[in-house]
Amino acid sequence: MNPPSTGQAPQTPRNRQRTRADRARQVAEVLRRQIASGSFTSGMLPDERTLIADFAVSRNTVREALGVLRGEGVVERRQGVGTVIVRRPFEHTLERLTGLAETLGTHGEVVNQVRVAGLVRPPGDVARKLDVPVGGRVVHIERLRLLDGVPLSLDLTYLAADIGEPLLTADLAGRDLFGLIEQSIGARLGSASVTMHAVGGDPHTCALLDIPAGSALFTVERLTRLPDGRPVDLEFLRIRGDRLAFRAELVRAGGGAR
């Protein structure tokens, strides 16, 4: 026997009532993106009344969204002033092969603390990716990178020996590796393969980056090649998730919609 009809539509994913937490998360995500792109040039968020009208949500939802951003250390509430942006993640494009200082130099001073620099016998996977013969060596460089004095990333780099050895006496603290490589070889680099994912940072890395253990990090593996396709630079970057946002313009490939 079928149950009596209530006259109401079943609660499907399309018509289920969104919770205030859902709406607050959406507001926080949009504001976070606006902050990263530099939309609020005054350094402050609009007042609550403006945000309520803009997002068509309640005051409590706006306050919950601002609480999310405060918890992330992105904004803080100052009595008599308003909601002030205290940490703005900077954008790094994925469309061009650029070094960190090339991309972020206009936002502040990029400084590199060189922790390791020398010839080493590479791990097997590194040797394979750089086409290093058995028994061969590579140059290993590890740098802690800071933007305006605040840690941004921990970069582990392996370079083909003939490319890397001339750089051991170069200005590793003040220059991007890409620029140093191109200056050394007298030619431009060619292309790179990039793999990126997010992880909770281990205690040692987080301590170096001055963030709590378990904080979100981007881990980036980038294999850079010369124009002839020869791999010369393998990097493993661990980047603070609260300080950098990646951006790209993508074009949908041809073919009909399904």
Side-chain angles (χ1 to χ4, degrees):
M1 182 175 179
N2 294 328
S5 173
T6 62
Q8 297 178 345
Q11 290 294 296
T12 66
R14 290 194 177 193
N15 63 19
R16 183 177 294 122
Q17 185 70 31
R18 295 171 67 232
T19 66
R20 189 172 74 199
D22 288 328
R23 294 190 293 272
R25 175 173 45 79
Q26 179 187 18
V27 172
E29 183 60 39
V30 173
L31 290 174
R32 190 185 297 109
R33 182 71 190 90
Q34 289 180 287
I35 291 169
S37 63
S39 296
F40 305 113
T41 56
S42 67
M44 296 181 57
L45 294 187
D47 59 33
E48 287 186 358
R49 184 176 300 176
T50 301
L51 293 175
I52 290 167
D54 189 23
F55 288 96
V57 295
S58 69
R59 183 179 300 275
N60 285 340
T61 297
V62 165
R63 289 181 173 176
E64 191 168 326
L66 295 179
V68 170
L69 297 178
R70 282 197 302 272
E72 295 173 355
V74 176
V75 301
E76 66 180 31
R77 181 74 178 175
R78 294 181 183 171
Q79 188 68 31
V81 177
T83 303
V84 180
I85 299 167
V86 294
R87 181 185 300 154
R88 185 190 303 274
F90 299 102
E91 290 191 337
H92 193 298
T93 180
L94 293 175
E95 298 168 339
R96 299 184 304 276
L97 185 55
T98 59
L100 190 67
E102 288 179 88
T103 303
L104 300 181
T106 57
H107 296 294
E109 182 184 16
V110 177
V111 173
N112 310 308
Q113 293 180 1
V114 181
R115 306 186 74 246
V116 175
L119 276 168
V120 298
R121 192 176 304 279
D125 187 56
V126 171
R128 285 189 294 274
K129 289 178 178 177
L130 289 176
D131 289 340
V132 176
V134 176
R137 290 179 175 266
V138 299
V139 168
H140 177 215
I141 299 171
E142 179 177 303
R143 298 185 298 174
L144 179 65
R145 316 200 68 184
L146 302 94
L147 179 62
D148 280 346
V150 180
L152 177 65
S153 69
L154 181 64
D155 298 2
L156 283 65
T157 303
Y158 295 94
L159 298 164
D162 62 313
I163 299 293
E165 281 195 82
L167 306 188
L168 292 176
T169 57
D171 182 15
L172 295 173
R175 296 278 304 278
D176 270 342
L177 285 177
F178 284 171
L180 291 173
I181 292 171
E182 291 176 340
Q183 180 179 315
S184 176
I185 65 177
R188 300 282 286 178
L189 290 165
S191 61
S193 300
V194 178
T195 302
M196 179 172 60
H197 62 281
V199 298
D202 64 271
H204 177 65
T205 300
C206 288
L208 290 172
L209 294 175
D210 196 25
I211 50 179
S215 295
L217 300 177
F218 291 115
T219 64
V220 179
E221 179 183 327
R222 181 169 60 191
L223 179 62
T224 303
R225 309 174 189 86
L226 298 179
D228 63 5
R230 179 194 170 196
V232 294
D233 177 2
L234 178 62
E235 297 173 286
F236 299 94
L237 316 178
R238 289 173 249 180
I239 304 168
R240 281 178 52 162
D242 64 335
R243 300 217 67 206
L244 203 65
F246 291 92
R247 174 180 55 81
E249 288 289 332
L250 305 177
V251 178
R252 183 167 169 81
R258 297 187 180 184

